[in-house]
Amino acid sequence: MARGGRPKREEQDLPPYVQQALVLRAGGANWQQCAEAVGTSAANLREWRKHPDANGFLQEAIRSNLDQAHSLFADAAPRLAERLIALGLDERVKGYTAVSAISEAFKILQTGVVDQQQREQIEAIKAQLTALEDGTPEVIDV
């Protein structure tokens, strides 16, 4: 017999306001701030957080934010390198005053590259595991 009424939360798509709240959460807002921004309660958002699609959506929003931040560092890298060289060659400037900030920027850039490579490797491993579980013969274990 068919069940009447509204479908369960887990059976619905994530509503746009919940998606917007998850994007805000990925950007660093707490649940209360997210709720106020989208006009709902924090308790309601926490319930939507249990939705099967919520974690994937949140993780994608976080990855997008990280990619955007790393792009900013990558775009600034040539200017930072030029500044580092200028500081190192300028006899009047005590290089240690700016070197640590510039050095940190390069560390962040390198970390982003390594993280991206690790994410790609993890995705490849997941694809191989899925292929093994599905029994597809495309995976060759060497």
Side-chain angles (χ1 to χ4, degrees):
M1 188 164 134
R3 198 189 98 184
R6 216 161 75 181
K8 291 183 178 180
R9 187 182 305 254
E10 298 82 26
E11 297 169 353
Q12 300 176 34
D13 290 335
L14 287 174
Y17 80 93
V18 173
Q19 292 177 7
Q20 182 183 358
L22 292 172
V23 168
L24 293 170
R25 180 73 176 147
N30 64 37
W31 288 116
Q32 187 60 42
Q33 293 165 331
C34 295
E36 290 171 3
V38 300
T40 190
S41 69
N44 183 41
L45 289 180
R46 285 191 193 96
E47 286 300 313
W48 275 106
R49 178 74 173 88
K50 298 173 188 174
H51 188 281
D53 297 334
N55 188 51
F57 188 91
L58 180 61
Q59 293 305 314
E60 183 57 36
I62 290 170
R63 273 193 296 277
S64 177
N65 288 346
L66 289 174
D67 289 346
Q68 183 179 6
H70 286 116
S71 291
L72 290 173
F73 278 111
D75 291 344
R79 292 189 310 276
L80 292 171
E82 289 172 5
R83 177 116 190 258
L84 181 60
I85 291 167
L87 286 171
L89 297 174
D90 190 340
E91 298 293 328
R92 300 168 293 149
V93 175
K94 294 183 179 176
Y96 65 84
T97 58
V99 169
S100 65
I102 294 169
S103 177
E104 191 63 29
F106 277 104
K107 286 179 191 173
I108 291 168
L109 181 61
Q110 179 61 32
T111 300
V113 169
V114 170
D115 287 349
Q116 178 63 31
Q117 290 170 342
Q118 288 176 342
R119 279 195 302 271
E120 289 170 1
Q121 289 173 348
I122 288 171
E123 290 303 316
I125 290 169
K126 285 180 182 177
Q128 288 176 345
L129 287 173
T130 301
L132 285 171
E133 290 171 354
D134 293 343
T136 56
E138 295 176 15
V139 177
I140 300 171
D141 190 16
V142 182

